[in-house]
């Protein structure tokens, strides 16, 4: 059993672009460089709570929080949520905790949010672990459903999305689908998905990712080892971390290896 300091839960009242937020966060103090975790669509801050069980992260400060419209966080206008909005939220969370420079870990939606954050504020990011965050149009296998399966009613779209996900032939898909309606407000889905598709198709995410000067690792499940760009980004200096017996969700399918890879990468980039 770990003897590390436990995490603390807190609520952060924020205003982002005129929208009132009440952000649910977990965090821990520490003397070593902090890590900021941005969860994926349909996930929550608890994806990263087990950092306190990992001896490799002893002494490291960390922050994880539920994005607006997700988990225990509250948002007064769900229609305003987009990747840009999520990035602005991240900036305010960083300001609240007084974090200037940090290691960055983002998964899926959170990986794209993290990429936009690192691109706009490159000098603040010590390293970036991108866990299947969008860097190319082919990464929109979840979010592009807002285009492929259009529905005027947001609740109906989300219910159908959950059922498609439940039966997807990938590790942890059914587990992920089982809690989606409890972790995401239906009113937030369309704005998030549309912005993810638009950025993936039109914002040269690959160029932004490869242009980052900080050390970068791209983590992916072995079920997604056929992603076309993996050899290219590796040739450009990105460290690849293939997680065995895993699809899109290493924190559910193989968390032990996920934590080992993150710890080893951050150790290798220590300044």
């Amino acid at each position: 059993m770990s003897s590390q300091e436990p995490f603390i839960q807190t609520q952060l009242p924020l205003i982002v672009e005129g929208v009132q937020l009440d952000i649910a966060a977990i965090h821990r103090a520490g003397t070593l460089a902090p890590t900021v975790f941005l969860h994926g669509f349909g996930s929550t801050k608890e994806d990263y709570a087990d950092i306190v069980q990992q001896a490799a992260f002893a002494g490291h400060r960390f922050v994880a929080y539920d994005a607006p419209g997700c988990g225990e966080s509250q948002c007064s206008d769900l229609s305003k949520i987009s990747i840009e909005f999520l990035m602005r939220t991240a900036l305010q969370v960083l300001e609240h905790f007084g974090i200037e420079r940090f290691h960055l870990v983002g998964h899926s939606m959170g990986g794209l949010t993290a990429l936009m954050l690192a691109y706009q504020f490159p000098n603040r990011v010590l390293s970036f672990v991108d866990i299947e965050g969008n860097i190319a149009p082919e990464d929109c296998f979840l979010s592009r459903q807002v285009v492929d399966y259009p529905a005027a009613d947001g609740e109906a779209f989300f219910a159908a999305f959950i059922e498609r996900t439940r039966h997807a032939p990938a590790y942890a898909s059914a587990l992920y689908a089982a809690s989606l309606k409890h972790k995401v407000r239906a009113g937030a889905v369309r704005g998030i998905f549309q912005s993810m598709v638009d950025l993936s198709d039109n914002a040269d995410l690959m160029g932004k990712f490869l242009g980052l000067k900080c050390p970068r690792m791209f983590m992916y499940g072995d079920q997604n080892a056929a992603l076309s760009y993996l050899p290219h980004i590796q040739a450009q200096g990105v460290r690849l971390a293939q997680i065995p017996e895993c699809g899109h969700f290493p924190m559910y399918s193989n968390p032990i290896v996920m934590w080992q890879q993150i710890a080893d990468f951050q150790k290798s980039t220590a300044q």
Side-chain angles (χ1 to χ4, degrees), residues 7-27:
F7 60 76
I8 298 170
Q9 295 176 266
T10 190
Q11 296 289 137
L12 314 180
L14 304 175
I15 297 178
V16 175
E17 298 179 358
V19 178
Q20 293 184 336
L21 304 177
D22 189 26
I23 298 296
I26 58 175
H27 63 101

Side-chain angles (χ1 to χ4, degrees), residues 41 145 155-168 173-174 176-184 186 189 193:
F41 176 84
Q145 292 187 42
E155 295 279 355
F157 170 80
F158 193 35
F161 172 85
I162 291 171
E163 287 310 304
R164 287 190 295 271
T165 304
R166 191 188 311 275
H167 297 285
S173 285
Y176 169 71
S179 60
L180 271 171
K181 66 180 180 180
H182 305 293
K183 292 182 176 180
V184 186
V189 176
F193 278 3

Side-chain angles (χ1 to χ4, degrees), residues 52-130:
V52 301
Q53 306 297 332
Q54 307 298 319
F57 293 92
H60 282 271
R61 187 181 184 189
F62 87 91
V63 174
Y65 63 92
D66 292 336
C70 303
E72 297 175 304
S73 289
Q74 302 299 319
C75 174
S76 66
D77 188 349
L78 296 172
S79 70
K80 296 293 182 65
I81 301 175
S82 66
I83 295 299
E84 175 70 18
F85 186 90
L86 296 180
M87 189 198 72
R88 297 296 170 192
T89 301
L91 286 171
Q92 289 213 25
V93 172
L94 290 168
E95 181 179 0
H96 173 87
F97 286 106
I99 296 175
E100 181 58 31
R101 303 195 72 209
F102 50 92
H103 296 286
L104 186 56
V105 178
H107 171 234
S108 195
M109 173 189 81
L112 178 50
T113 305
L115 172 57
M116 302 308 290
L117 180 66
Y119 174 71
Q120 294 198 35
F121 302 92
N123 294 330
R124 299 183 65 177
V125 180
L126 298 171
S127 72
F128 178 23
V129 176
D130 190 342

